[in-house]
Amino acid sequence: MTTATASQRNALGLPSAVITAQAAMQSAEVQEMLCRLSAYGLGICMPHMHDEATGEFQPLPDEIMQVEAGLEVSFQPTAEIARQAGRFLPVAWVWRCGVSMPSAVCEMVQNDYCSDDEMPTVKHKMPTRN
């Protein structure tokens, strides 16, 4: 299975913005961008969310951000996450209103308990274990 055949087969019934994104991945221009991004350890994502009742794909609204915390994904107001920017590491970006904006973040924790010769470590917030 190639990306092209999977995308074409699975695109039926998706919102038009998602169909456009899926089709764009097959274009030479986007494939060239993907190749160039790979030199920096980056890729391309399709910002999206799902209807809570049906699981159907939905475009990610500008005012909502995907948040990963404790190995779970949620969708929260962008303004709320922006007020807590120090807790989150952006992991996906979109171009909005002429600037790069995060569209997905991971909640981070910092290990402040280090000796004087150690650097503090920052890592992904993990679920608490019982």
Side-chain angles (χ1 to χ4, degrees):
M1 166 175 41
T2 67
T3 304
T5 58
S7 294
Q8 291 167 356
R9 184 178 63 238
N10 296 333
L12 301 174
L14 294 174
S16 62
V18 174
I19 291 172
T20 299
Q22 290 289 307
M25 282 305 304
Q26 312 318 313
S27 74
E29 181 182 23
V30 173
Q31 290 295 310
E32 154 96 21
M33 285 185 250
L34 181 58
C35 181
R36 290 176 57 203
L37 288 169
S38 70
Y40 302 98
L42 297 171
I44 294 175
C45 74
M46 182 187 73
H48 71 283
M49 58 188 299
H50 299 276
D51 181 274
E52 289 185 33
T54 66
E56 292 176 351
F57 278 85
Q58 297 176 333
L60 187 66
D62 289 356
E63 67 278 0
I64 300 294
M65 185 175 294
Q66 178 180 320
V67 177
E68 185 181 331
L71 301 181
E72 292 187 3
V73 173
S74 64
F75 299 93
Q76 300 180 27
T78 299
E80 180 67 26
I81 300 305
R83 285 191 287 275
Q84 308 170 61
R87 290 178 43 204
F88 298 96
L89 177 70
V91 295
W93 299 263
V94 293
W95 192 256
R96 291 193 180 124
C97 301
V99 296
S100 174
M101 302 288 294
S103 64
V105 294
C106 288
E107 187 173 13
M108 306 302 288
V109 293
Q110 183 169 337
N111 176 10
D112 292 323
Y113 308 105
C114 321
S115 66
D116 290 339
D117 60 336
E118 289 180 313
M119 293 291 291
T121 58
V122 178
K123 60 185 178 178
H124 192 278
K125 183 178 182 179
M126 298 297 285
T128 55
R129 307 246 183 219
N130 294 336

